[in-house]
Every structure is written in C-alpha cells, then in structure tokens.
Amino acid sequence: MIRIKNISKNLGEFFLRDVTLDIEAGNYFMILGPTGAGKTILLEAMAGIYRPDRGEIWLDGRNITNIPPRDRNISMVYQDYMLYPHLSVEKNIAFGLKLKKIPKEKIKDKIEDITNMLGIHHLLHRFPGTLSGGEKQRVAIARAMVTEPKALLLDEPLSALDTQTREILREELHKIHINTKTTIVHVTHNFEEVFSLGDSMAVMNEGKIVQVGRPDEVFKRPNSEFVANFVGVENLFRGKSTINNGISTINVNGISIVSTTCKSGDSIISIRPEDILVSRKKIESSARNSFNGKIKSIVDKGPIIKIVTDLGIPFSAIITRQSFNNMELKRGTSAYFTFKASDVHFI
Amino acid sequence: MLKRFKESKIKIISIFFSLLLALFILVQIICIVTHTTLPALIISICSKEMQFAIALSLITSVISTILCIIISIPTAYALARYDFFGKSLINTMLDVPLALPPLVAGVGLLILFGTTSFGKTLADAGLVFVFTPLGIIIAQFSVNVPFMFRILRGTFQGINPRYEHIAQTLGCTELQAFWHVTLPMAKNGLLAGSIITWSKGIGEFGAALMLAGATRMKTETLPISLYLNMSCGELNLAIAAATILIVISLGSLFIFEKYGGFAKVF
C-alpha cells in the first residue's frame, strides 16, 4: 500500500500542502480535482520525480521518500503518452526491461504477453509518430505495465482521446486492473471515469486533499461547498439491478427504478434533474417511473428552480420558475416525480 | 494585367528588392568562381600551400567543433532545464560573442594567453596558443560556441522533461535518462549545430588572425591563405581558397536548412 504522510512541495505555480493519503494495495484509486489542484505533482512525488520539501512517502512498509524513481518500481503514464519518437513500439515497451538487464528471450515473452493483452501486437515494428492517440496510449500503458510495477500512476490517461476511444480504453484499464491486481492511481477530471473505474477516490483542491472516500459516498455526501460545487452530480444511486423482459429494474434502498439499459448486478445509475417531471397529481403517461414524496427543499437558481424531495433517497428535479409559480409548490407540498425508463443511465 | 500591377504596388516593389538582393549575392559568387579557369583552379588546389591550408582548416575546425559540442551540451541543458540564480546574466554573457567583432575577441584571447599568468602557466605546461595552430582552435571555439549553444538550448527546451521522468521511473539514472532519451531526441539539433559551427569555424578569420597570426605554412588556414595571397598578388591561389570556402558554406547551409529549420540561431 502507498502511505503519503504530510507531504508538501512548492514548485511555484503548482504546489502540495500537507497531503496525507492512504492507498490500499490493489485498489483502483481516483484523484479528482480542477486544473492546478496539484494532482500531477502528487503523482510525480509518488513516482519520485520530485522530492517533497516535507513529509514522507511509504510503499509497502518501506520509506521511499529519498529513494530515486528507478528503485521504486512505480510506473507512470502521462496524458500525452511521452513515447520515445526515436524508438520503435517494441523498443519503447522493452525500454524498462532492458535497463533491468532481463535476458532477451524473457523480454520477448513479456512483450508478447502485454501486447496481446492490449491488442497492440501488430504495432510492434511501427514508430510512435505513425500511431493514433488510442494506440499511443496503449503502448504507453504497455511500457509502464511490462515492468510489473507495484503501482501504476496514470495522469489523465484518457483526456486526450476521442469519446469512443476513451470508452474502449476505460474498459481496457478496468481489465488490466482485474487481471494484474496492480495498485492504480488515476488522476482525472472526468466523473464517469471515477465511477466506472474507482474503488476509492480523493478530491483535491489548491494543493490539498479535500475529501477521501468511495466515489458514491463522496458524490452523495460532499463534505464541503467546494466538493459539492465541483462534483455537482445529483440523482446518483447505487443499487442492485436485475434484467427482466429486456428492461432493468434497479433496487435502490427499497425503491424500484426501471431503466431501458440492460445491465445486471451492483450498479450505479444517474438521472439528470432536467429529465424529471414534477406534478401535483399523479399523471398517466408512458413514463415508467413515478414516485410520490414531500418537497424537502427549494433552491432558487434564477430562471430555474431546483426541487429536492426525499423518497428514502434524495431526488432533485429542475423546473422553470414559471411552472414553479403555476403549481404553487412549497416546502412540505406533496408532489409526483416522474421520469422515463430511457432517462435512467448506468454509469 | 495592368490593373493587378496597380493594385499591389507594395508587393511589386518589395519583390523587386528581394530579387535585387539575391542577385547581388549571386553576382559576388559568380565573380569569384569565374575569375580563374578550371585548369588553373585545379593546379592551385593541388599546390602544397593550398593542401596545407585545407588540411589545417579541416583539422582545426573539426577539433573546435567537437570542443563546442562538449562544452555546449551541459551548458545548454542547464539553461534549458533549470532555474538558478544568475541564469539570465549567464544567458546574456553567452550571447556576447555573437555581437562582438571577432577581431576584438581575438585581442582578448591574445592578452589572456600572452600576458596573464594563466596563459603563461598553460604555456609552461606545453599549451602554447599564441601564434600556433592551437590558437586557431581556441579562436574558432570562442567565436562559434554561441551558435552551438543556442541551437542546443532551443533543442533541449523543445523536449518535454517528462520523457526523462518516464525513463527514470523505468529504471534510468538521471544521466542514463539524458543519454538514452534526451540526447537521441536532440539528434537533429546536434547535427544542425555541428554543421553551422563547423562551417563557421572553417571561415573564422579575425580572432584567429589576432591570436595565431598569419604565418605561411604554419597558421595558414583557408581564410588566412586567401588574405595572404590576396595581399601579395597570388590571385589564383586566393581564388582557389575562396572557391573552396564557397563550396563548404553552401553545402553546410543546405544541410542546416534540411535538419535545423526548427532551431533559432539568433
């Protein structure tokens, strides 16, 4: 496991302030934060590129604060790949193995394994300049993983990719984590990545860790205004989903929500507050989800109003000021919250 | 057609000037190479004196270029990568030779090596720079090192330090990361810098004249030979030296443009 104890580092524009963090072995740990929060320096401090001004870093019970990067056995992948342009894909991946003086035959086997796993075996003789973004990032991941590191640090690894490639690579990362059980620390500002990959997460701001926890806990119970504003995702629920006749029913704290997306098992779902219809009386419609509850709070956001109800789980809906006035909604008023099964998204 | 001419007066005038300037340069070169006949040129190039000048020029310029590379790599790396006290002052000092007339640099070198105890200590140790070929090397080095340094600094600045960071996490020491990653990635800059430094070294005259003097068959490089033969009327030999210098300059210019387009010299 990685223990970060009170580390501080000042690099002028970017800095860390008294960061303490424990990352369990085998965990997929997400670090979320705005630009300039110090996420990258934190990764670089773990990798050993910067020595902290104060504090200590421990890896599996060993104090590695003053150990150079090459002896830490921690690999890193940057957003912009950093593949060596003068080396072929094969030589890029073999880079770390060659330095460790591993016999040629064994290097070949390892490269064979990792490239087959990542589906880049056919690229071995190409040069980085000729690869697509997704291919480059696979090669960068292969180069980092082939040395069998104790931890893999990913600095916004999917941010430079197009949506489709990003989704495929996200699956790929998930697979790598399942297969290798390597501790992964993944820096991002993308919420979907946090939910689809993260076992735990930390939110960073201005060089500090602001909140640590399971992703759904952090999103559901932000501990500060900053986190609440930054994560800003509402109607996020964890539950067990079962598929029946082509539709999923997700049980969230005893409430059954229906979705047209088919996915079973433990899942996280989200419903956009704008997709929820609010009415005083029950309405007959094609929408499959309709719940009755009392309005718990009303947040005035100018032209739109946010209404929050508690159905055992907190539900937020956004409506226009005009409908709000027409319906004469107040705190404590009973209302129906209705939304279509196709508006229930799995994360 | 006439209308278009009227519309772009500035275009016509400016293009006219650029053509005029190009022509002016071309004429100079043509004047030199046509001033002699081919057989006379060949005889001159084969003469003992010219052979000596060519050899001395090649040897001194190659050595001074290697010196420039050795000194410029760490210097350029430091100024590209690190922030430290006095950095901008050092940057300015390293640019001074670009602005200084080579003759002045030569006087400085002459006083340094000829009159100070530092120069005398070196001379006692067998390193005599005044009026020797060794002086030519030092003169070329001190005038041309800024070219090498500036190209390399630009090259290193263009290489993201994260390449080295990754190399370190994969098992490199800092030095290995530089050697296996940054240096190979700087290949084009190194090549371009070496070519321009070498070709400048071959043509170096002012500083070399001051420090090493112009002694026939002793410190006679191609430019010195050109100067000596011009002054005593040996026109054929002078033209031969000039022609060789032209060929070298144009050749290096071509290679520099091909590999060093990204690097700024000034």
Side-chain angles (χ1 to χ4, degrees):
Chain A
M1 88 182 264
I2 305 171
R3 295 205 100 139
I4 296 162
K5 296 182 184 170
N6 307 94
I7 66 165
S8 295
K9 177 77 193 174
N10 192 349
L11 287 177
E13 197 183 341
F14 300 104
F15 51 84
L16 293 175
R17 274 191 201 142
D18 202 25
V19 169
T20 297
L21 196 62
D22 279 355
I23 298 168
E24 294 290 335
N27 212 311
Y28 201 121
F29 195 91
M30 307 294 298
I31 298 177
L32 187 71
T35 312
K39 304 178 300 251
T40 301
I41 323 182
L42 182 57
L43 284 197
E44 287 176 335
M46 287 187 218
I49 288 146
Y50 300 116
R51 196 168 296 180
D53 300 334
R54 273 191 307 281
E56 290 179 351
I57 300 175
W58 291 65
L59 176 68
D60 292 341
R62 187 169 73 128
N63 184 347
I64 58 166
T65 318
N66 293 314
I67 287 176
R70 66 175 185 281
D71 297 326
R72 292 190 180 200
N73 204 8
I74 293 178
S75 289
M76 189 153 177
V77 172
Y78 283 107
Q79 175 185 347
D80 27 14
Y81 329 117
M82 294 296 143
L83 295 178
Y84 302 130
H86 59 292
L87 300 178
S88 67
V89 166
E90 185 172 8
K91 286 192 171 150
N92 261 286
I93 300 174
F95 192 89
L97 298 175
K98 270 193 186 153
L99 286 161
K100 291 191 167 70
K101 303 226 158 49
I102 289 170
K104 266 197 178 145
E105 279 308 305
K106 219 167 166 201
I107 291 186
K108 235 182 162 174
D109 290 346
K110 280 175 183 260
I111 290 181
E112 188 87 13
D113 289 348
I114 194 89
T115 50
N116 281 329
M117 181 163 124
L118 283 157
I120 47 172
H121 193 261
H122 59 293
L123 302 174
L124 282 179
H125 297 289
R126 301 257 295 269
F127 278 82
T130 68
L131 305 180
S132 72
E135 288 170 337
K136 281 183 190 164
Q137 200 54 298
R138 280 162 201 266
V139 175
I141 293 167
R143 179 177 64 179
M145 283 304 292
V146 79
T147 57
E148 292 166 22
K150 285 188 176 156
L152 173 66
L153 312 179
L154 305 170
D155 186 14
E156 306 207 10
L158 309 176
S159 301
L161 307 171
D162 62 84
T163 324
Q164 208 182 351
T165 316
R166 192 184 303 160
E167 261 168 47
I168 297 169
L169 242 111
R170 210 167 65 192
E171 277 305 309
E172 215 68 62
L173 284 174
H174 184 65
K175 229 168 63 191
I176 290 171
H177 183 235
I178 300 281
N179 287 343
T180 64
K181 301 194 172 52
T182 309
T183 311
I184 298 182
V185 186
H186 179 145
V187 157
T188 186
H189 51 241
N190 181 305
F191 300 108
E192 278 178 45
E193 283 170 29
V194 172
F195 277 99
S196 53
L197 293 168
D199 298 319
S200 332
M201 71 174 294
V203 183
M204 274 189 90
N205 187 34
E206 293 181 339
K208 287 186 208 152
I209 301 278
V210 218
Q211 190 170 1
V212 183
R214 261 188 15 212
D216 57 320
E217 285 169 2
V218 173
F219 278 70
K220 225 186 280 176
R221 278 185 283 280
N223 67 354
S224 60
E225 207 181 325
F226 168 76
V227 177
N229 285 333
F230 183 66
V231 298
V233 178
E234 283 161 299
N235 302 339
L236 205 66
F237 309 113
R238 186 184 275 265
K240 216 178 179 78
S241 170
T242 45
I243 301 175
N244 216 333
N245 288 337
I247 53 167
S248 310
T249 307
I250 308 104
N251 187 314
V252 183
N253 268 2
I255 291 176
S256 291
I257 295 171
V258 179
S259 171
T260 48
T261 310
C262 285
K263 212 172 160 191
S264 63
D266 284 323
S267 331
I268 294 164
I269 52 165
S270 83
I271 305 125
R272 292 161 63 96
E274 310 79 297
D275 289 339
I276 296 179
L277 194 78
V278 181
S279 59
R280 293 290 293 262
K281 286 184 190 138
K282 192 169 171 62
I283 44 173
E284 290 293 327
S285 73
S286 62
R288 301 289 307 273
N289 298 293
S290 191
F291 303 102
N292 178 244
K294 282 201 165 100
I295 293 176
K296 222 177 83 183
S297 71
I298 292 162
V299 185
D300 194 333
K301 291 188 165 186
I304 56 166
I305 307 280
K306 188 172 96 176
I307 291 174
V308 184
T309 178
D310 197 349
L311 310 166
I313 49 173
F315 252 90
S316 298
I318 283 175
I319 57 174
T320 59
R321 173 173 292 280
Q322 206 175 3
S323 357
F324 176 75
N325 290 340
N326 289 348
M327 283 192 282
E328 295 173 352
L329 297 174
K330 285 188 193 69
R331 263 187 71 177
T333 316
S334 165
Y336 282 86
F337 292 77
T338 307
F339 48 94
K340 292 166 73 173
S342 58
D343 285 335
V344 178
H345 306 287
F346 280 86
I347 291 179
Chain B
M1 196 68 179
L2 198 69
K3 207 175 168 197
R4 261 186 61 207
F5 269 80
K6 263 182 193 163
E7 272 172 2
S8 51
K9 239 181 208 159
I10 294 184
K11 185 176 167 188
I12 299 304
I13 293 171
S14 57
I15 289 176
F16 173 74
F17 270 93
S18 68
L19 278 175
L20 209 63
L21 187 59
L23 196 67
F24 177 62
I25 294 166
L26 187 66
V27 164
Q28 294 169 37
I29 293 171
I30 290 172
C31 279
I32 296 170
V33 292
T34 57
H35 198 81
T36 180
T37 58
L38 192 61
L41 184 69
I42 291 168
I43 291 168
S44 303
I45 291 176
C46 292
S47 73
K48 229 174 172 178
E49 187 184 341
M50 203 47 62
Q51 293 284 314
F52 177 86
I54 293 171
L56 185 65
S57 278
L58 285 177
I59 293 167
T60 53
S61 60
V62 167
I63 296 176
S64 75
T65 303
I66 292 170
L67 272 181
C68 285
I69 295 173
I70 293 172
I71 303 291
S72 290
I73 287 178
T75 311
Y77 189 79
L79 291 159
R81 281 283 192 272
Y82 306 115
D83 277 320
F84 52 89
F85 178 75
K87 179 178 172 177
S88 64
L89 189 71
I90 290 180
N91 262 325
T92 314
M93 280 315 295
L94 292 176
D95 288 344
V96 166
L98 285 179
L100 211 62
L103 274 172
V104 178
V107 173
L109 289 171
L110 185 62
I111 295 172
L112 176 67
F113 289 113
T115 64
T116 64
S117 50
F118 168 72
K120 281 182 182 135
T121 315
L122 284 179
D124 289 343
L127 289 171
V128 184
F129 292 95
V130 181
F131 304 130
T132 66
L134 219 51
I136 301 171
I137 294 172
I138 286 299
Q140 289 174 351
F141 168 80
S142 55
V143 173
N144 296 328
V145 75
F147 292 96
M148 191 75 208
F149 157 72
R150 289 181 72 106
I151 291 173
L152 275 185
R153 184 183 56 188
T155 306
F156 288 145
Q157 276 167 346
I159 299 173
N160 195 325
R162 287 178 173 180
Y163 284 107
E164 283 180 37
H165 295 170
I166 292 284
Q168 288 179 38
T169 64
L170 292 172
C172 281
T173 61
E174 284 183 280
L175 200 64
Q176 281 175 322
F178 175 76
W179 184 257
H180 289 302
V181 174
T182 309
L183 208 54
M185 285 176 73
K187 195 182 70 193
N188 278 0
L190 263 173
L191 185 66
S194 306
I195 291 292
I196 197 105
T197 310
W198 175 71
S199 105
K200 283 255 153 204
I202 285 238
E204 171 47 35
F205 178 71
L209 179 69
M210 281 292 136
L211 185 61
T215 316
R216 218 177 268 277
M217 300 296 277
K218 189 184 177 204
T219 58
E220 186 180 359
T221 58
L222 285 170
I224 298 280
S225 171
L226 172 59
Y227 166 74
L228 286 174
N229 286 313
M230 256 341 240
S231 19
C232 58
E234 291 280 356
L235 215 55
N236 275 340
L237 284 176
I239 295 296
T243 310
I244 297 167
L245 286 170
I246 288 173
V247 172
I248 290 171
S249 310
L250 293 183
S252 358
L253 185 68
F254 172 75
I255 299 175
F256 181 77
E257 287 292 325
K258 193 159 179 215
Y259 294 100
F262 60 92
K264 276 203 193 109
V265 183
F266 294 105

mmCIF file of all heavy atoms in Angstrom, chain A residues 290-310:
data_model
loop_
_atom_site.group_PDB
_atom_site.id
_atom_site.type_symbol
_atom_site.label_atom_id
_atom_site.label_comp_id
_atom_site.label_asym_id
_atom_site.label_seq_id
_atom_site.Cartn_x
_atom_site.Cartn_y
_atom_site.Cartn_z
ATOM 1 N N SER A 290 -42.552 6.687 -11.521
ATOM 2 C CA SER A 290 -43.270 7.804 -10.921
ATOM 3 C C SER A 290 -43.314 7.593 -9.412
ATOM 4 O O SER A 290 -43.719 6.527 -8.946
ATOM 5 C CB SER A 290 -44.687 7.891 -11.504
ATOM 6 O OG SER A 290 -45.260 9.108 -11.110
ATOM 7 N N PHE A 291 -42.838 8.595 -8.670
ATOM 8 C CA PHE A 291 -42.776 8.449 -7.213
ATOM 9 C C PHE A 291 -43.401 9.665 -6.551
ATOM 10 O O PHE A 291 -43.310 10.775 -7.061
ATOM 11 C CB PHE A 291 -41.323 8.309 -6.756
ATOM 12 C CG PHE A 291 -40.615 7.167 -7.411
ATOM 13 C CD1 PHE A 291 -39.736 7.384 -8.469
ATOM 14 C CD2 PHE A 291 -40.848 5.863 -6.990
ATOM 15 C CE1 PHE A 291 -39.086 6.335 -9.083
ATOM 16 C CE2 PHE A 291 -40.203 4.798 -7.606
ATOM 17 C CZ PHE A 291 -39.325 5.030 -8.657
ATOM 18 N N ASN A 292 -44.011 9.403 -5.406
ATOM 19 C CA ASN A 292 -44.643 10.492 -4.676
ATOM 20 C C ASN A 292 -43.810 10.818 -3.446
ATOM 21 O O ASN A 292 -43.330 9.914 -2.755
ATOM 22 C CB ASN A 292 -46.060 10.049 -4.275
ATOM 23 C CG ASN A 292 -46.740 11.118 -3.463
ATOM 24 O OD1 ASN A 292 -47.055 10.924 -2.299
ATOM 25 N ND2 ASN A 292 -46.942 12.273 -4.078
ATOM 26 N N GLY A 293 -43.644 12.112 -3.189
ATOM 27 C CA GLY A 293 -42.887 12.490 -1.998
ATOM 28 C C GLY A 293 -43.139 13.936 -1.627
ATOM 29 O O GLY A 293 -43.729 14.688 -2.413
ATOM 30 N N LYS A 294 -42.679 14.292 -0.420
ATOM 31 C CA LYS A 294 -42.856 15.683 0.024
ATOM 32 C C LYS A 294 -41.630 16.487 -0.359
ATOM 33 O O LYS A 294 -40.501 15.981 -0.296
ATOM 34 C CB LYS A 294 -43.046 15.709 1.539
ATOM 35 C CG LYS A 294 -44.452 15.311 1.953
ATOM 36 C CD LYS A 294 -44.759 15.824 3.356
ATOM 37 C CE LYS A 294 -46.239 15.776 3.636
ATOM 38 N NZ LYS A 294 -46.640 14.597 4.442
ATOM 39 N N ILE A 295 -41.860 17.735 -0.738
ATOM 40 C CA ILE A 295 -40.727 18.583 -1.116
ATOM 41 C C ILE A 295 -39.942 18.965 0.130
ATOM 42 O O ILE A 295 -40.505 19.439 1.113
ATOM 43 C CB ILE A 295 -41.224 19.835 -1.878
ATOM 44 C CG1 ILE A 295 -41.817 19.391 -3.220
ATOM 45 C CG2 ILE A 295 -40.086 20.811 -2.092
ATOM 46 C CD1 ILE A 295 -42.428 20.512 -4.013
ATOM 47 N N LYS A 296 -38.636 18.693 0.083
ATOM 48 C CA LYS A 296 -37.800 18.923 1.264
ATOM 49 C C LYS A 296 -37.112 20.282 1.193
ATOM 50 O O LYS A 296 -36.981 20.974 2.186
ATOM 51 C CB LYS A 296 -36.736 17.828 1.347
ATOM 52 C CG LYS A 296 -36.513 17.311 2.746
ATOM 53 C CD LYS A 296 -35.503 16.182 2.753
ATOM 54 C CE LYS A 296 -34.086 16.726 2.767
ATOM 55 N NZ LYS A 296 -33.080 15.663 2.696
ATOM 56 N N SER A 297 -36.678 20.632 -0.005
ATOM 57 C CA SER A 297 -36.071 21.959 -0.111
ATOM 58 C C SER A 297 -36.236 22.526 -1.519
ATOM 59 O O SER A 297 -36.430 21.779 -2.481
ATOM 60 C CB SER A 297 -34.585 21.903 0.275
ATOM 61 O OG SER A 297 -33.868 21.226 -0.723
ATOM 62 N N ILE A 298 -36.190 23.836 -1.581
ATOM 63 C CA ILE A 298 -36.355 24.540 -2.856
ATOM 64 C C ILE A 298 -35.169 25.485 -3.012
ATOM 65 O O ILE A 298 -34.892 26.296 -2.116
ATOM 66 C CB ILE A 298 -37.688 25.335 -2.863
ATOM 67 C CG1 ILE A 298 -38.852 24.350 -2.869
ATOM 68 C CG2 ILE A 298 -37.759 26.265 -4.067
ATOM 69 C CD1 ILE A 298 -40.161 24.969 -2.441
ATOM 70 N N VAL A 299 -34.426 25.313 -4.112
ATOM 71 C CA VAL A 299 -33.255 26.173 -4.321
ATOM 72 C C VAL A 299 -33.528 27.074 -5.527
ATOM 73 O O VAL A 299 -33.748 26.606 -6.639
ATOM 74 C CB VAL A 299 -31.984 25.337 -4.570
ATOM 75 C CG1 VAL A 299 -30.773 26.238 -4.656
ATOM 76 C CG2 VAL A 299 -31.806 24.295 -3.467
ATOM 77 N N ASP A 300 -33.515 28.373 -5.264
ATOM 78 C CA ASP A 300 -33.787 29.348 -6.316
ATOM 79 C C ASP A 300 -32.517 29.587 -7.123
ATOM 80 O O ASP A 300 -31.514 30.032 -6.587
ATOM 81 C CB ASP A 300 -34.245 30.652 -5.650
ATOM 82 C CG ASP A 300 -34.862 31.585 -6.671
ATOM 83 O OD1 ASP A 300 -34.490 31.490 -7.861
ATOM 84 O OD2 ASP A 300 -35.719 32.398 -6.280
ATOM 85 N N LYS A 301 -32.549 29.241 -8.401
ATOM 86 C CA LYS A 301 -31.366 29.453 -9.234
ATOM 87 C C LYS A 301 -31.671 30.442 -10.340
ATOM 88 O O LYS A 301 -31.198 30.302 -11.463
ATOM 89 C CB LYS A 301 -30.885 28.121 -9.826
ATOM 90 C CG LYS A 301 -30.299 27.176 -8.783
ATOM 91 C CD LYS A 301 -29.664 25.982 -9.428
ATOM 92 C CE LYS A 301 -28.770 25.268 -8.424
ATOM 93 N NZ LYS A 301 -28.025 24.183 -9.029
ATOM 94 N N GLY A 302 -32.490 31.447 -10.048
ATOM 95 C CA GLY A 302 -32.837 32.442 -11.066
ATOM 96 C C GLY A 302 -33.953 31.932 -11.953
ATOM 97 O O GLY A 302 -35.063 31.681 -11.470
ATOM 98 N N PRO A 303 -33.703 31.763 -13.250
ATOM 99 C CA PRO A 303 -34.774 31.330 -14.149
ATOM 100 C C PRO A 303 -35.222 29.887 -13.889
ATOM 101 O O PRO A 303 -36.309 29.501 -14.290
ATOM 102 C CB PRO A 303 -34.142 31.441 -15.543
ATOM 103 C CG PRO A 303 -32.680 31.437 -15.308
ATOM 104 C CD PRO A 303 -32.469 32.038 -13.967
ATOM 105 N N ILE A 304 -34.380 29.103 -13.232
ATOM 106 C CA ILE A 304 -34.796 27.733 -12.913
ATOM 107 C C ILE A 304 -34.791 27.511 -11.406
ATOM 108 O O ILE A 304 -34.124 28.235 -10.663
ATOM 109 C CB ILE A 304 -33.891 26.674 -13.599
ATOM 110 C CG1 ILE A 304 -32.433 26.914 -13.214
ATOM 111 C CG2 ILE A 304 -34.076 26.662 -15.099
ATOM 112 C CD1 ILE A 304 -31.534 25.766 -13.557
ATOM 113 N N ILE A 305 -35.586 26.530 -11.015
ATOM 114 C CA ILE A 305 -35.711 26.223 -9.587
ATOM 115 C C ILE A 305 -35.361 24.755 -9.386
ATOM 116 O O ILE A 305 -35.805 23.902 -10.155
ATOM 117 C CB ILE A 305 -37.182 26.409 -9.113
ATOM 118 C CG1 ILE A 305 -37.702 27.792 -9.498
ATOM 119 C CG2 ILE A 305 -37.319 26.127 -7.620
ATOM 120 C CD1 ILE A 305 -37.282 28.908 -8.606
ATOM 121 N N LYS A 306 -34.551 24.492 -8.368
ATOM 122 C CA LYS A 306 -34.246 23.095 -8.061
ATOM 123 C C LYS A 306 -35.111 22.654 -6.889
ATOM 124 O O LYS A 306 -35.183 23.337 -5.872
ATOM 125 C CB LYS A 306 -32.757 22.951 -7.712
ATOM 126 C CG LYS A 306 -32.343 21.502 -7.568
ATOM 127 C CD LYS A 306 -30.840 21.362 -7.421
ATOM 128 C CE LYS A 306 -30.501 21.264 -5.940
ATOM 129 N NZ LYS A 306 -29.067 21.027 -5.730
ATOM 130 N N ILE A 307 -35.783 21.508 -7.102
ATOM 131 C CA ILE A 307 -36.650 20.982 -6.054
ATOM 132 C C ILE A 307 -36.084 19.657 -5.580
ATOM 133 O O ILE A 307 -35.758 18.791 -6.383
ATOM 134 C CB ILE A 307 -38.070 20.774 -6.620
ATOM 135 C CG1 ILE A 307 -38.676 22.152 -6.884
ATOM 136 C CG2 ILE A 307 -38.933 19.970 -5.677
ATOM 137 C CD1 ILE A 307 -39.978 22.079 -7.569
ATOM 138 N N VAL A 308 -35.941 19.522 -4.263
ATOM 139 C CA VAL A 308 -35.392 18.288 -3.728
ATOM 140 C C VAL A 308 -36.439 17.604 -2.864
ATOM 141 O O VAL A 308 -37.103 18.252 -2.045
ATOM 142 C CB VAL A 308 -34.126 18.565 -2.885
ATOM 143 C CG1 VAL A 308 -33.509 17.256 -2.417
ATOM 144 C CG2 VAL A 308 -33.102 19.363 -3.696
ATOM 145 N N THR A 309 -36.621 16.313 -3.103
ATOM 146 C CA THR A 309 -37.560 15.554 -2.286
ATOM 147 C C THR A 309 -36.816 14.384 -1.657
ATOM 148 O O THR A 309 -35.726 14.024 -2.108
ATOM 149 C CB THR A 309 -38.727 15.037 -3.132
ATOM 150 O OG1 THR A 309 -39.577 14.275 -2.284
ATOM 151 C CG2 THR A 309 -38.256 14.147 -4.251
ATOM 152 N N ASP A 310 -37.397 13.796 -0.633
ATOM 153 C CA ASP A 310 -36.749 12.642 -0.022
ATOM 154 C C ASP A 310 -37.683 11.446 -0.105
ATOM 155 O O ASP A 310 -38.735 11.422 0.516
ATOM 156 C CB ASP A 310 -36.389 12.955 1.438
ATOM 157 C CG ASP A 310 -35.367 11.963 1.951
ATOM 158 O OD1 ASP A 310 -35.124 10.950 1.259
ATOM 159 O OD2 ASP A 310 -34.808 12.207 3.035
#
